[in-house]
């Protein structure tokens, strides 16, 4: 069994490679739920839906959000009616969210995801990090903002001073998944808002210490490959580099994969992590994604 | 001011005629809300939405439900996901329902309808009969059914033994609208499930006694022009004919309009109602609708 810790952009890219190599039922993906919330009356678990769509090849991989080729008839009509939605929810995507909202009321988030994954023909296990309502606040120079307000309404522009999120209980099965895995892969997702929430769940860091853990750095040089990761890292006084990433995972990390461009960091990283792999981490085509996945899998000790 | 009492099919047809003749801001429409309920997480007030769409020329007037030319992308995807919707909600129509649900949480149903009417460019007043949650149960030979279950899931087929609905408080403004009107028009809607709920609101029958009231019979011979009206009338031991309709409204009705075909009922009806008008009531084109509207308006005493 391989377990992947995932946010909503970098790791799904890597999953496109992993799913070509790992047998579907040997794969568990634990997904960040911190930013989940209700919008337009439906429960939006953006990262989970991105992982679902990625695993069944429906993902809009231009935006890493929503369904490829989706229409926006309801969304655009809401705008005409003066009731615009903060999130751009497509018509196919809205069906996923309506169903999840209904299933959750009956069964909770984990079973809802499980049913939806099966409906979409996905054989891998997709586990929300938690079934509890959670909250993340971005403290900025323009005040305290909800995550989606910061990212969409304010387009990630305000200066970030701090990031605060609520403590939630881990979803059942997460610790077992880690314990039963030959390797845990931490994808190149935002370390602060996607991975730290998973790591901060009770028991996760301890379980990871007993498992082979390999992380792909989402930073090249001193910039995130995509998204606002560097802003968040800076705000928490984490060095914006693969070294900063390695330090966040230091207590359990066995191997870090960094981009070829950061070859000069290797010796410094070797003082923090047992093994450092350099390769091309810019996943702009399936070849790179598969290659990166293969390198990760090949690193797993027998 | 003219006030119309409306359900969701017969009366909207007549409204298409009335709105060509009456000045929009001289018109108030009081709409049945008894069957309103939540579906797929949105509040569905089918009759109100039909009246809204009718008044802004968006109505699908083949089914008298939803928006003409609407798509069903979310609805069909929900079906694929094994989460089919009892009601067929179109993508444009869903935006109306999402907005109404949100507005209701903030303002209540009446103001929500008011805002939506304005958004759709409607200048007439559209008033829900009540802002309270209500309930209607159809007692049938296969058991007690929700209204939409009876009509859609069971396609109106079971034998109806009784119809029961909850008592609700009239929406603010309804009695005033009736009192301030030169005439109240009871459209050819289902007398049992669309009109009786409005009539049973506290104060409505009394207010109607002091106002000129004209009703268009939805029955020709012993059959409803459309829908399950005759089934419901039969179950409540109401004669399925314009005579049965007249008796339901007897205590306040001034004039009844019946179809030319029922000319032979005229003398019997004259013993119940002051005035009986016979004309073509089968509204299969705008000409008939306008003609019927004109006859009704011409009947109003100066």
């Amino acid at each position: 069994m391989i377990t992947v810790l995932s946010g909503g952009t970098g790791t799904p890219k890597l999953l496109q490679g992993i799913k070509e190599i790992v047998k579907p039922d040997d794969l568990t993906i634990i997904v960040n739920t911190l930013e989940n919330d209700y919008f337009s009356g439906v429960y939006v678990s953006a990262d989970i839906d991105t992982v679902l769509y990625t695993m069944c090849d429906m993902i809009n991989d231009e935006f890493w959000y929503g369904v490829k080729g989706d229409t926006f008839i309801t969304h655009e009509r809401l705008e005409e009616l003066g009731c615009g939605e903060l999130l751009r929810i497509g018509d196919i995507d809205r069906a996923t969210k309506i169903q999840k909202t209904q299933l959750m009321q009956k069964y909770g988030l984990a079973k809802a995801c499980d049913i939806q994954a099966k409906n979409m023909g996905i054989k891998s296990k997709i586990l929300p990090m938690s079934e509890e309502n959670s909250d993340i606040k971005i403290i900025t120079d323009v005040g305290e903002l909800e995550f989606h307000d910061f990212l969409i309404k304010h387009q990630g522009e305000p200066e970030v001073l701090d990031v605060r999120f609520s403590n939630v209980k881990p979803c059942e099965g997460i610790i077992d998944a880690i314990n039963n895995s030959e390797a845990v892969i931490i994808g190149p997702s935002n370390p602060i808002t996607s991975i730290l929430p998973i790591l901060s769940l009770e028991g996760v860091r301890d379980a990871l210490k007993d498992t082979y853990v390999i992380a792909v750095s989402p930073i090249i040089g001193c910039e995130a490959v995509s998204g606002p990761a560097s802003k968040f890292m800076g705000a928490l006084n984490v060095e914006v580099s693969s070294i900063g990433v390695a330090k966040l995972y230091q207590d359990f990390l066995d191997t870090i994969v960094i981009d070829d461009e950061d070859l000069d960091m290797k010796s410094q990283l070797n003082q923090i992590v047992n093994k450092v792999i350099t390769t091309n981490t810019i996943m702009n085509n399936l070849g790179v994604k598969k290659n990166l996945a293969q390198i990760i899998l090949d690193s797993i000790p027998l």
Side-chain angles (χ1 to χ4, degrees), chain A:
Chain A
M1 166 94 88
I2 302 291
T3 290
V4 178
L5 310 190
S6 184
T9 307
T11 309
K13 282 186 200 174
L14 178 60
L15 282 170
Q16 288 184 323
I18 291 174
K19 81 197 236 320
E20 298 291 309
I21 303 173
V22 176
K23 266 179 55 192
D25 40 16
D26 280 345
L27 187 61
T28 296
I29 308 152
I30 299 173
V31 190
N32 169 44
T33 58
L34 204 68
E35 305 127 29
N36 293 9
D37 206 347
Y38 285 84
F39 293 88
S40 306
V42 290
Y43 187 74
V44 175
S45 52
D47 289 356
I48 288 175
D49 288 356
T50 293
V51 169
L52 285 168
Y53 295 146
T54 299
M55 296 307 286
C56 71
D57 299 321
M58 285 177 72
I59 187 70
N60 177 334
D61 55 10
E62 187 181 351
F63 297 111
W64 293 94
Y65 172 79
V67 171
K68 189 178 249 169
D70 207 352
T71 52
F72 292 86
I73 297 169
T74 302
H75 177 79
E76 283 161 9
R77 177 63 181 164
L78 279 168
E79 218 147 85
E80 279 172 28
L81 289 171
C83 182
E85 300 179 296
L86 181 63
L87 298 185
R88 205 169 136 76
I89 302 177
D91 299 312
I92 294 280
D93 189 25
R94 195 180 303 276
T96 306
K97 288 160 173 48
I98 290 171
Q99 186 192 32
K100 193 182 281 97
T101 307
Q102 288 182 17
L103 290 172
M104 273 179 65
Q105 283 161 1
K106 224 168 159 178
Y107 303 115
L109 181 58
K111 181 141 186 211
C113 291
D114 207 46
I115 292 170
Q116 291 202 300
K118 286 201 178 84
N119 283 347
M120 296 182 195
I122 299 165
K123 286 179 181 144
S124 301
K125 182 97 188 147
I126 297 173
L127 271 176
M129 65 173 233
S130 177
E131 297 198 289
E132 288 190 340
N133 288 332
S134 50
D135 202 19
I136 177 164
K137 295 263 191 262
I138 315 298
I139 320 300
T140 75
D141 58 343
V142 299
E144 192 177 292
L145 299 174
E146 298 290 335
F147 186 79
H148 294 284
D149 278 342
F150 169 77
L151 213 62
I152 302 169
K153 204 193 275 176
H154 292 270
Q155 306 207 294
E157 280 167 6
E159 194 186 333
V160 177
L161 307 175
D162 201 359
V163 178
R164 284 183 209 142
F165 50 80
S166 49
N167 274 322
V168 288
K169 264 196 354 206
C171 179
E172 204 189 306
I174 280 184
I175 305 297
D176 282 349
I178 294 172
N179 286 338
N180 295 331
S181 291
E182 297 117 65
V184 173
I185 302 168
I186 301 184
S189 285
N190 188 325
I192 307 300
T193 58
S194 295
I195 303 300
L196 273 194
I198 305 177
L199 299 179
S200 65
L201 297 169
E202 198 187 336
V204 167
R205 276 188 185 263
D206 279 342
L208 289 173
K209 280 177 196 163
D210 299 327
T211 311
Y212 174 74
V213 182
I214 174 166
V216 178
S217 172
I219 311 284
I220 300 181
C222 56
E223 281 293 339
V225 176
S226 69
S230 35
K231 218 161 196 172
F232 291 133
M233 291 172 77
L236 297 194
N237 296 317
V238 175
E239 182 186 326
V240 184
S241 74
S242 291
I243 293 165
V245 174
K247 282 181 179 165
L248 283 171
Y249 305 155
Q250 189 165 10
D251 51 324
F252 57 78
L253 191 64
D254 297 287
T255 304
I256 189 163
V257 182
I258 61 169
D259 195 77
D260 285 327
E261 264 192 44
D262 285 340
L263 189 63
D264 57 340
M265 291 183 193
K266 203 170 172 178
S267 61
Q268 227 184 315
L269 276 167
N270 266 326
Q271 292 166 26
I272 309 168
V273 196
N274 188 29
K275 195 173 168 191
V276 181
I277 297 173
T278 60
T279 185
N280 176 14
T281 64
I282 300 179
M283 292 180 280
N284 48 13
N285 65 59
L286 186 59
V288 178
K289 292 168 191 171
K290 277 174 71 173
N291 184 56
L292 184 53
Q294 194 62 62
I295 287 172
I296 291 166
L297 296 165
D298 288 345
S299 81
I300 302 171
L302 293 176

